[in-house]
Amino acid sequence: MAHTPVLSTINDYNSATVTPINVSMIQETISDDIIDKRKTTEELSTEILIKSENDTTASHWIKDQNNNNNQTQYEQKQQQEVERFNHEIQDDDDELDEKKLHITSTTDEQQLQVDNDSNTNNKNRFCSSSINQLGGEFINGRPLPSDTREKIVKLAEQGVRPCEISRQLSVSHGCVSKILKRFRLFGTTAPGLIGGSKPKVATPEVVRRIREYKLNNPQIFAWQIRESLQKEGICSTEKLPSVSSINRIVRSNRRIVVNPDGTINEVDSDFDLYDSDDENSAKSERANASSPSSGSVGSSPRAGNIRHRGDCRCDSCVKKYKFSPCNNKSTNGEIVDGIHASELENDNKSPYNHQLLDESNLNSIDLDFYSTTNKIFENEPGELNLKAPPPAHCRTKLSSIFTSSHDHPLDLSITTTNHNHKQRKKQLKHNPLSDTFQNEPLNLCSESKKRPTNDIISSPSSKRSSTNIPNNLTDKLQTHLLSDNISLHQQQQQPPATSLPTFLHSVFAQNSSHPVFLPFWNPLLDAQQHQQLFQQLQQHYSQHHHQKDEHLFEDERIHICLNFKKVYFFFIHSLSLEAVHDMETTHSLSLSSHPTMLHINTIQNSKKRSTREILSTAEVNNMNKWSSQQNVINLQQSAENYFLNEHIFSDLTITVNGGRVFVDKSLLAAASPILQNHFQENPSVTNIDLIDIHLDQMLVLLKFLYPQFDCTLTRENVSFLVEMSERFKLNILHIMCRNFIIYYLSKVRGVNDDKYLNKKNYRQGTQVNAQRETGLFLSWLCVYFDSDNMRIIEPLMNVIKQCSIECLKTTIDLNGSVSWKMQAAIYKARAQYLERTFI
DNA sequence: AACGTCACGGTTGAA
DNA sequence: CATTCAACCGTGACG
């Protein structure tokens, strides 16, 4: 909180409300100003902002800086703020006066851009914002600023619970819930497109025909067109456009042309309305220009034609609505980029970023996690060009969420659609990239408000199920695994197929550039399905094994291990892993939304928990390889017996610390490209030494690799397993471990070691004992620190930074593998945490 | 306590 | 050009 405050009199809402500056803000400002010993006049004049980074609305305050073009309004507002400022802090010292002068003087120095848009951009200037129960500021009827929306999603991705997000950002939990739901469904944080209505009669087809008539016969009258439309049966009598409508369509020259490169050209218009022909792109574009969440770049300026409404500043409107007269003349039309420009400017010039580094004693070390993290979500200038609307949620890349997504508010209106929710979901499921879907508006309005439409039949259950659209992994894998429209459920009712299961053919048909191990256990299948699959494979094998045609299996890329009388299968399938990766990177929501990736055994005993409970090992939800302990296929046997004794097909021994284990080369090779290479290079090898690994640890790893054994990730073994996954490139294991850690961290609400702990912040949730857990967290951080995986580093740091310095120091001393870089990063994070929380 | 839903009072903008 | 109205918004109560 000790970062240079910036003074802003504007907020991000299109409506530039007279936002009250609260006392604490001012106080922060003053104290910071004093502490900071004076920013230069230039700095202040360029900033005109007051806000700290901790204030969630900071950036949206900043964003509209350049958008407020009406100098008079601006000055008035500034004046109001200054007056308020003066009033509230009149007891302060001379430095304050100096600052006040600063602010007033900078007002005059502002190079305010003014253009025809000024009226538009100053909409609702006089609307008052409200404060919700949590103390958050909002404007009734208007969307939250885009950065707040993004923050909500970002926090949710980090595993922060919605209620926590709600408190943190001072946004109602209903709103958080809604935004997250929309993000899950549509992959965007953008608000919907507000206002307007779909053409009731001037449908795209009608508009096209009208234009055709006019093109073919420029002299044609509107009433003639109208008659022709009726004659040709293009419109029914009741839906025949009026002459004025036709005239409007004819007069409307405006075209939104989306070029192949994604840029948008707009042909001048003599009319403010958009062609219905270009309904979707036009509406999107229009919204883009007007939406607070998207007033960004690449959008075309609004036409100079201002509709005379309550927010208009023309003389008549000013008279009518008793607004003060507008003295401004438009000067240029470049305002559209204003938001972007200010954002960039802020990014570049904001003292906050620099100060982060400057304030730290470690400023010489380039280890700013926060800036690094932010970069993940930052838009590169080049990316800010208008892009095609975001595809369906399952294809959404993280980067696009914060670029194109919110550039295009959702059009959720209903009139142009002929599909109901289910159909839409179906379409989304089957072809997420379908043009039809992209162009088709979505409708989220409540049933009761919907215009009665025969097409739209929605039951509460379907509404409910709308949140359960399968995630990308499920989608992609199911498509492949359940090819030929044969679901496993159907297969269960049929006698087991005697040929190779059809889905395997489909799987093998995919080109695989590199073999990747995916155990017979598949996260998408439940135990019963596993059983089914197993039986099919067993049957297949029993039919073919007598042929002794090993190549058959090689070709089918099934590796078969014979173990006594049982047959175990696992297949190599790179597609699955790609799908997993795809899902991981594109759909990085909280772990709880990854039910197919990992089964999380929920705590059976759901007794009410104490709010200051210590997180115990037993309570950490373990992640089990099998979906249900009760339904595990009956393949269990003692792993110790199996691996410690030579078995018929074991062709390799591994010498580990404490003994040796008997394993199968083929399985290990399939699991690990490292081992595969090793075996290829040394075909005759019968023993390898891995004496740095303890026997118990090796058994855990082998239990994961072998399909017949159960392996549960726990806080104790996850560190070792993640290390092994790195070492032997066991990707699935790596992902599972990472998810476990993220999940584990998401359970941690506070660290109770901290003597400065602000109990209010952690009145809910689980607390961990820092003394006990810090070592664990540090060991995890050691594993991930050098990677760029901020998704795990960030939550780790978020927890670690809550541990006291003494505790951190002790643990770091004990753990010899903590690099100096890591130490620096940890101490820095701690310092920033303390600074923000308690100063 | 957490969270999904929805009525409500509001804004918006095409028709 | 004023009005209408269906879309959207976030809040906050409810279950």
Side-chain angles (χ1 to χ4, degrees), chain A residues 493-506:
Chain A
Q493 291 160 8
Q494 297 164 355
T498 52
S499 61
L500 188 69
T502 48
F503 76 86
L504 283 183
H505 285 301
S506 158

Side-chain angles (χ1 to χ4, degrees), chain A residues 59-81:
Chain A
S59 58
H60 85 256
W61 281 50
I62 294 163
K63 277 182 183 171
D64 257 10
Q65 181 184 342
N66 286 359
N67 256 12
N68 292 271
N69 313 306
N70 186 321
Q71 195 168 359
T72 306
Q73 303 290 345
Y74 188 86
E75 283 175 5
Q76 286 174 350
K77 204 152 132 44
Q78 284 263 339
Q79 193 55 47
Q80 288 176 27
E81 296 294 348

Side-chain angles (χ1 to χ4, degrees), chain A residues 127-147:
Chain A
C127 287
S128 58
S129 63
S130 314
I131 304 292
N132 63 24
Q133 288 176 337
L134 298 166
E137 191 188 335
F138 74 100
I139 293 181
N140 203 358
R142 301 297 298 135
L144 283 176
S146 57
D147 67 310

